[in-house]
Amino acid sequence: MTVPLSVPLTGDPLLAAKLAVPFQAPGLVRRQRLLNRLTRGTEGPLTLITGAPGVGKTALAASWARSASAPGPVVWLTLDEDDTPGVFWAYVIEGLRRSGELAEDALGTPVCADDVDRSLLIRLASALEGAPGPLVVVVDGLEKARGNAVHSGLRFVSDHAGPALRLVLISREDPPLPLHRYRAEGRLHEIREHDLAFTRREAVQLLRDQGPAPDDHVVDLLLEQTEGWAAGLRLCALAMARSEDPAAFARSFTASEQAVSDYLLTEVLAVQPEPARELLLRTGILNHVHPDLAAALTGRSDSGRILQNLARCHAFVEPLPGTRWYRFHPLFAEVLRAHLRSRQPELEPLLHRRAARWYAEQGRSAEAVDEAAAGGDWSFAAAQTVRHLLVAPILAGSGASPSADTFSRMPDDTPGVRPALVAAACCMARQDVEGCRSRLARAEGGPDGAGPEAEPADRLTAALLRLLSAPGPADEAAHRITALLARVPAEECIRHPEIEPLRLYGQACACLRGGRLQSAREGLEQAVRACSGDATVLLRHRCLGRLALADAVAGALTLAEEHGAASLAIADEHGIPDSHRSGAAGLALAAVAVEREELAAAAVQLDRAELLADTHRDPDLLIERSVLRAQLETARGRWDAARSHLDGHLDEAAAPPPGPAARLAVAYATAALARGDVDAAATALDHVPAEDGPPSHTVALAQVRAAADRPVQALQLIETAEESDAVTVPDRVRLVLLRAHRALLDGHEDRARTLLVQALDTARPEGLRRPFTEAGPWVRHLAAGLNGRSGSYAWLATPHGPADHRVVEELSRREREVLQQVARMMSTEEVAAELHLSVNTVKTHLRGIYRKLCVSRRRDAVERARELHML
């Protein structure tokens, strides 16, 4: 039977509910790690549980109080806003009486509502000191206590009640107690907001209680959005359970924001005083806020104090360690933005613009650009981007701010030179070379164009864009960049280590277009060495891919493999998304496989490379892709299909640069010769003037003249090509084979065999097989009579292993573990659970396995691994 309660000093009855342990909601996740911590905490005199609304403070303590883990009786008290010190201690005393720790008339009751007599606290401490065993007093909602009277009373009782009293204080903010002294004395155990954040395992359990077992990716998304906030997870789980597409709900940050909006507006924003509410609404547009920035947005000189108070009371605002900056919980920030838009839609862009000016004044140009773009002030954003050389990270794709995405909403007709330069850079970052050239022409053609009278930063930006988008030679642009760098403030150059590797990369690519293969390889090697640090990771990936491609064209197949594998490894290691990856490395590995007559591997690599955007947008890679397709079809005997891949490029009104033009012409001629169409081969080669063509073009002409039975002309061309320092290994092999074939036709069989052995010795270090296959069946017949020298031919007849058995790169330890689980017929989700990985991570490892084993399916990967004794 419940004993009626009364408080004589107010005349109002005491509420039994305030002394009851709160009801445990259905579906509560039992968080044993925190229950254990609370049990350990109550071994000492004071345990403090603090955190924002909805992080699970009360739920944790209530769950613990209802368990059998407490060291003794538990007295629970829930505070209300209007509880005065006298009322508070009246409830404490009544709770102790109900627990049986105090006799009914042992102490009496407080006689004053607004204060408590010191003698009462002394008698209470004395009574507790004599308690036979531990006693736990839980005070929930301590932040609601008025003034400091309650806190000072708790401090006194805690200090004098002896070891039996175990206080558990639950609050949204740190109480005004000497916590630093308690910590030093080892008397305080703390459970903070970050401790209360849900772990992945706890989040899975919570979501399972609300509906079907969630996908791992869904759990990861919700944890990322809520940062483990208990109420946010529960509200999102309930909303997701009602959603027709739970996965789409999890992917939508807006859906999560709507699910928690009412809670945050009511429990967090509405309870703040007016100055704090106004500050939150005006600064919520930012990811991070500084007191001075808050002052600029609000006009309040006390912004720092308000932010400090918000952080202290855990209003989803937290300080960034070691700085004066603060951050908002992402969901709270989104709720604030939505609330501001609904109340004052015209204010948000103005606040962003004001923030942009503040950042610019502080020398934080990247943040200034972001805020100006958010506020639609494109002229200011572009001016900051060009003036501070921020075009460099856009072009390098460093992932830093600003990026091409920052300017995705900028109208194409935004007036001015700098917006045009930035638009050109964004096009170049998307491999839209033609778009870059047109916008660059607009920037340079206006009355204030990036000419000699422009600022050095404008001219440097224009020169860099001109270099990267140049259709032909660009040495002058590269030298101009070097000269302009000397005129730009040194600190700006130091901030942007991307500029030098971009210059080297652009110059090397221009050399490739001009047919200067060796210069291009040397330039790309320098560019790779110049790429250092996180700012140039993506650029290093691209440079290595282009270098691998240049190596493959030069016949340096081993180097091409190494550089191509390194490019792909960087992309995998740093998690570069497919939208930003370059297909150059894949094209290079396909070229290596084609040269070695490993056609299945070549097809796999080429298929993968074609999935990446730059193999469709970048003119150079587009041509290289078509050439490789033609070579692959030619090797399979599909000559018409090979020529169809090249026709579109050869028929274009705007002729490609000399290097790509020669590659197209030679590929077309090779396909035509394989079919026996000498005239078509000659016509294709005529597209490239002989004086502009590289040695490969001369070699192809010699092959055409030899096929047309013009040995004198063929020999002249052979001698011309042999004199060139730029002749590649594959073409050197072809030249020797041409001489061998001529000797054979002239009846000099021994001479022909000697030349064949020379060609084999030249080709063997790189495993080159395509020149021998293209030369025709006479090679096989001649090689059959090599007698004691037949070992020179064995590697050609029997490749390193069947084409389908090659491995581009060794599997990592984690990839082997994933492959072992796949071999057990486990699904992606099961593999992830077994290895404690996310599903996305498993998928990334699978892509790496497919690439390294030259397969495209799980079953093929397992079979290939077994053939290679990996399983």
Side-chain angles (χ1 to χ4, degrees):
M1 178 176 176
T2 303
V3 179
L5 302 175
S6 64
V7 181
L9 58 91
T10 64
D12 294 329
L14 286 173
L15 300 174
K18 288 169 64 68
L19 295 174
V21 177
F23 175 71
Q24 184 170 320
L28 180 73
V29 175
R30 183 176 178 82
R31 308 171 74 186
Q32 192 61 49
R33 64 182 178 91
L34 294 177
L35 295 173
N36 293 341
R37 286 192 58 174
L38 194 46
T39 299
R40 290 196 302 272
T42 53
E43 293 173 0
L46 179 59
T47 301
L48 180 62
I49 307 175
T50 57
V55 296
K57 305 182 296 295
T58 300
L60 168 65
S63 176
W64 176 83
R66 291 181 180 277
S67 70
S69 302
V74 176
V75 175
W76 187 285
L77 170 58
T78 302
L79 266 68
D80 289 320
E81 296 285 356
D82 54 357
D83 283 348
T84 61
V87 171
F88 170 81
W89 288 108
Y91 273 110
V92 170
I93 292 170
E94 181 61 31
L96 291 170
R97 288 170 177 161
R98 290 179 139 239
S99 71
E101 296 300 313
L102 286 178
E104 184 67 28
D105 56 352
L107 297 177
T109 56
V111 296
C112 179
D114 294 332
D115 201 356
V116 64
D117 185 66
R118 182 81 164 184
S119 64
L120 178 64
L121 297 181
I122 293 173
R123 293 196 304 275
L124 175 59
S126 176
L128 292 174
E129 191 176 18
L135 170 67
V136 180
V137 175
V138 180
V139 180
D140 186 17
L142 185 58
E143 76 279 355
K144 299 173 184 176
R146 298 180 184 178
N148 289 328
V150 168
H151 303 97
S152 61
L154 284 171
R155 176 181 175 181
F156 178 85
V157 172
S158 175
D159 288 346
H160 297 89
L165 177 61
R166 315 290 169 83
L167 280 177
V168 177
L169 306 180
I170 306 172
S171 178
R172 293 185 180 182
E173 58 189 65
D174 284 356
L177 298 173
L179 300 181
H180 60 284
R181 180 164 63 84
Y182 293 163
R183 292 187 187 106
E185 295 172 354
R187 296 174 55 192
L188 176 64
H189 185 83
E190 299 176 84
I191 300 177
R192 293 283 181 174
E193 184 171 314
H194 65 272
D195 301 314
L196 294 163
F198 265 57
T199 65
R200 195 175 189 286
R201 186 182 298 275
E202 292 166 349
V204 169
Q205 185 179 343
L206 185 149
L207 293 169
R208 280 178 178 164
D209 290 343
Q210 304 300 327
D215 179 85
D216 286 350
H217 186 51
V218 169
V219 177
D220 291 338
L221 283 171
L222 286 180
L223 271 177
E224 179 182 354
Q225 292 167 7
T226 61
E227 297 186 349
W229 174 42
L233 270 172
R234 182 176 293 277
L235 291 169
C236 286
L238 291 170
M240 193 168 65
R242 297 191 297 269
S243 172
E244 295 181 358
D245 189 349
F249 177 96
R251 287 192 299 270
S252 170
F253 196 90
T254 302
S256 298
E257 172 258 310
Q258 291 172 346
V260 302
S261 177
D262 288 344
Y263 184 95
L264 289 172
L265 290 175
T266 303
E267 296 293 328
V268 183
L269 184 64
V271 300
Q272 304 301 328
E274 177 59 30
R277 284 203 303 273
E278 189 66 18
L279 182 140
L280 285 170
L281 287 174
R282 284 176 171 260
T283 59
I285 63 163
L286 306 168
N287 293 322
H288 300 94
V289 62
H290 187 279
D292 295 342
L293 176 54
L297 297 184
T298 63
R300 297 188 64 91
S301 59
D302 58 350
S303 296
R305 181 180 58 78
I306 293 174
L307 284 169
Q308 196 173 31
N309 290 338
L310 288 168
R312 183 177 53 80
C313 67
H314 294 278
F316 290 90
V317 178
E318 64 178 8
L320 296 178
T323 74
R324 293 184 63 203
W325 289 81
Y326 295 81
R327 71 178 285 270
F328 299 111
H329 189 289
L331 280 175
F332 187 42
E334 198 57 40
V335 167
L336 291 173
R337 290 166 195 157
H339 195 56
L340 178 66
R341 290 178 195 130
S342 66
R343 289 181 55 196
Q344 298 172 280
E346 75 289 345
L347 185 56
E348 184 179 7
L350 295 176
L351 291 171
H352 280 298
R353 294 182 182 194
R354 193 177 296 176
R357 267 64 181 178
W358 184 88
Y359 276 121
E361 291 170 1
Q362 304 301 313
R364 302 174 67 114
S365 49
E367 291 93 335
V369 172
D370 285 340
E371 291 304 319
D377 192 349
W378 300 111
S379 295
F380 186 81
Q384 289 288 310
T385 300
V386 174
R387 182 178 298 127
H388 297 288
L389 303 183
L390 293 173
V391 165
I394 292 176
L395 293 171
S398 64
S401 180
S403 67
D405 292 340
T406 305
F407 291 91
S408 59
R409 295 184 294 108
M410 183 173 72
D412 198 46
D413 59 353
T414 302
V417 172
R418 286 167 174 168
L421 288 173
V422 171
C426 293
C427 287
M428 196 68 222
R430 295 190 294 268
Q431 296 91 37
D432 180 4
V433 179
E434 289 303 320
C436 175
R437 290 173 187 165
S438 67
R439 287 158 180 80
L440 182 57
R442 189 176 76 198
E444 295 178 325
D448 299 320
E453 71 285 353
E455 292 185 17
D458 298 62
R459 294 163 58 197
L460 176 59
T461 299
L464 192 56
L465 290 168
R466 194 179 306 112
L467 172 66
L468 293 170
S469 64
D475 290 341
E476 181 181 348
H479 294 317
R480 191 177 183 194
I481 290 170
T482 302
L484 286 168
L485 280 170
R487 300 186 56 189
V488 172
E491 60 272 16
E492 293 290 359
C493 297
I494 293 172
R495 286 194 196 104
H496 299 295
E498 313 97 337
I499 295 178
E500 180 59 11
L502 278 169
R503 183 188 71 82
L504 292 167
Y505 174 73
Q507 191 171 12
C509 289
C511 288
L512 278 176
R513 295 185 205 105
R516 296 155 54 195
L517 185 57
Q518 188 54 36
S519 296
R521 293 176 69 194
E522 292 171 357
L524 287 166
E525 287 173 352
Q526 292 176 23
V528 170
R529 289 194 294 271
C531 291
S532 59
D534 293 340
T536 55
V537 165
L538 182 57
L539 186 55
R540 183 178 176 85
H541 159 68
R542 291 176 181 169
C543 289
L544 280 166
R546 296 280 179 151
L547 178 56
L549 201 51
D551 290 334
V553 172
L557 304 189
T558 303
L559 279 175
E561 273 190 313
E562 291 177 3
H563 291 142
S567 175
L568 295 174
I570 286 174
D572 290 342
E573 178 184 350
H574 292 274
I576 298 174
D578 288 349
S579 58
H580 288 71
R581 293 192 184 205
S582 171
L587 294 178
L589 294 174
V592 170
V594 167
E595 292 296 334
R596 289 175 173 165
E597 289 288 311
E598 295 161 350
L599 305 186
V604 169
Q605 295 290 357
L606 195 49
D607 287 344
R608 289 209 192 103
E610 287 178 340
L611 295 175
L612 300 176
D614 64 348
T615 62
H616 299 267
R617 294 175 180 171
D618 185 289
D620 299 338
L621 296 186
L622 179 59
I623 288 175
E624 192 60 37
R625 191 192 79 179
S626 299
V627 166
L628 286 169
R629 276 291 174 202
Q631 291 174 345
L632 190 57
E633 296 293 0
T634 299
R636 289 169 168 167
R638 304 170 185 167
W639 305 297
D640 290 336
R643 291 160 67 177
S644 69
H645 285 289
L646 305 169
D647 283 336
H649 300 288
L650 292 171
D651 294 342
E652 288 177 353
R663 293 278 291 160
L664 289 166
V666 170
Y668 195 99
T670 302
L673 284 176
R675 191 177 184 181
D677 192 343
V678 178
D679 291 339
T683 302
L685 293 172
D686 287 343
H687 280 88
V688 179
E691 62 275 11
D692 294 340
S696 59
H697 181 264
T698 307
V699 173
L701 281 172
Q703 290 175 314
V704 170
R705 298 295 183 264
D709 199 19
R710 296 179 182 176
V712 175
Q713 292 181 2
L715 182 59
Q716 290 174 343
L717 290 166
I718 290 171
E719 292 173 346
T720 299
E722 287 175 337
E723 292 172 358
S724 172
D725 294 334
V727 66
T728 65
V729 174
D731 284 330
R732 192 176 294 118
V733 173
R734 290 185 176 93
L735 290 170
V736 177
L737 288 175
L738 281 171
R739 287 187 177 277
H741 193 207
R742 187 70 255 167
L744 185 63
L745 292 176
D746 290 342
H748 305 303
E749 191 168 328
D750 288 341
R751 169 67 176 161
R753 287 197 178 95
T754 299
L755 289 168
L756 177 59
V757 171
Q758 180 183 338
L760 288 166
D761 289 343
T762 304
R764 184 173 184 176
E766 297 294 350
L768 278 166
R769 298 186 182 86
R770 190 163 72 95
F772 299 94
T773 305
E774 289 176 353
W778 64 269
V779 172
R780 191 174 297 275
H781 295 305
L782 185 63
L786 287 178
N787 298 325
R789 295 177 293 176
S790 60
S792 301
Y793 180 68
W795 70 270
L796 185 63
T798 308
H800 305 169
D804 289 344
H805 286 192
R806 299 195 63 255
V807 182
V808 173
E809 184 183 348
E810 289 296 320
L811 300 186
S812 68
R813 178 185 62 82
R814 183 61 86 178
E815 286 170 341
R816 286 178 178 269
E817 291 175 352
V818 169
L819 187 58
Q820 288 168 356
Q821 306 307 320
V822 169
R824 294 168 55 194
M825 305 301 290
M826 297 176 73
S827 68
T828 303
E829 292 73 17
E830 291 169 336
V831 173
E834 179 71 18
L835 299 180
H836 305 290
L837 302 171
S838 71
V839 172
N840 280 346
T841 300
V842 172
K843 290 178 179 177
T844 298
H845 287 314
L846 285 173
R847 285 199 296 269
I849 292 168
Y850 296 161
R851 171 176 63 79
K852 294 176 181 180
L853 296 181
C854 296
V855 298
S856 56
R857 297 185 304 171
R858 283 167 165 253
R859 181 183 302 172
D860 295 340
V862 172
E863 291 177 358
R864 179 72 45 77
R866 285 176 174 149
E867 291 168 359
L868 295 171
H869 307 292
M870 290 182 176
L871 293 174

